[in-house]
Amino acid sequence: MSDIIDLTLFTQAFVTLWVIMDPPGTIPVFLALTSTMGSKQRSRAALQAVLVAFGVIVTFALFGQQLLQYMGISLAALQASGGLLLLIVAMQLLTGKFDSGEATAATPGANVALVPLGTPLLAGPGAIVATMVFVQQARSDDGGVPAIVAISVAIVLVHVSLYLAMRFADVLHRVLKDSGVTLITRIAGILLAAIAVQQIADAIVEFVRTA
């Protein structure tokens, strides 16, 4: 088995990405962002969000270091910008001013499944940085094919978990009704604000450390 997949690296990558991307924790935020959608629209949004997140994670896994170096962007700057964007969304959820239907109507082609759900919520700075670290670790240790397979399988399984969590969030929506979803929206806003502030704080610490 070790000739096919590095089980140690797989476990580390899967657990780390699972904790950061937090499939169960996406449910209240997903319900809040898709509260005006029907069942079919919500299912489509779940698939789109996961595909976007998967695409972003894979892109940064393959070209992340080169891209950031070419553009002169530090990981701390990426983390801070993601935190600021999440903070804006959190404030809208807390004040009740976020309406995915109005946002789509006001901006033709806009889709909350892409931003902010797909990125930076799912494929945020934390997940991106963690993936880049594991890829760099595999390269430096010369793990070969087993290391590549381990990271790839971990990424795929975490995204499958994210899709299943959001796909069946509709069941929770039917149980909670609109009033329950409104309550979850406010809770999601608080959680998002905390996540955003933590990301910004971590970015500031990193800026100071590297200054």
Side-chain angles (χ1 to χ4, degrees):
M1 180 66 74
S2 60
D3 294 335
I4 301 174
I5 182 172
D6 185 335
L7 292 178
T8 300
L9 182 58
F10 164 74
T11 302
Q12 292 175 344
F14 178 78
V15 171
T16 300
L17 290 176
W18 172 278
V19 171
I20 292 174
M21 301 182 84
D22 190 15
T26 63
I27 294 177
V29 181
F30 177 74
L31 287 176
L33 295 177
T34 60
S35 60
T36 61
M37 297 182 182
S39 178
K40 291 183 178 179
Q41 288 178 309
R42 192 175 289 115
S43 297
R44 185 167 60 250
L47 180 60
Q48 290 176 336
V50 169
L51 289 177
V52 168
F54 182 78
V56 171
I57 292 296
V58 170
T59 299
F60 274 92
L62 296 175
F63 312 109
Q65 289 287 357
Q66 297 90 326
L67 180 62
L68 294 184
Q69 288 175 2
Y70 175 76
M71 300 183 67
I73 300 173
S74 67
L75 293 178
L78 182 67
Q79 191 168 14
S81 62
L84 287 172
L85 182 55
L86 285 182
L87 188 59
I88 293 173
V89 175
M91 293 301 100
Q92 291 176 329
L93 291 176
L94 284 171
T95 57
K97 293 181 179 180
F98 189 93
D99 188 320
S100 59
E102 290 181 2
T104 303
T107 308
N111 188 344
V112 295
L114 308 182
V115 178
L117 193 54
T119 183
L121 185 58
L122 298 184
I128 291 172
V129 171
T131 302
M132 290 171 62
V133 168
F134 282 118
V135 171
Q136 192 172 27
Q137 175 185 333
R139 288 175 177 170
S140 61
D141 295 342
D142 195 20
V145 174
I148 295 174
V149 172
I151 297 173
S152 301
V153 172
I155 291 173
V156 169
L157 288 182
V158 169
H159 282 81
V160 169
S161 301
L162 284 167
Y163 173 72
L164 292 176
M166 292 186 292
R167 173 64 180 82
F168 294 103
D170 192 48
V171 176
L172 185 60
H173 181 266
R174 288 198 294 267
V175 172
L176 295 175
K177 308 297 182 184
D178 290 339
S179 58
V181 171
T182 300
L183 175 61
I184 285 182
T185 299
R186 300 298 183 268
I187 296 174
I190 295 173
L191 294 176
L192 264 185
I195 292 172
V197 171
Q198 185 62 57
Q199 286 190 4
I200 295 172
D202 291 343
I204 293 173
V205 170
E206 184 62 20
F207 276 130
V208 173
R209 189 182 68 82
T210 57

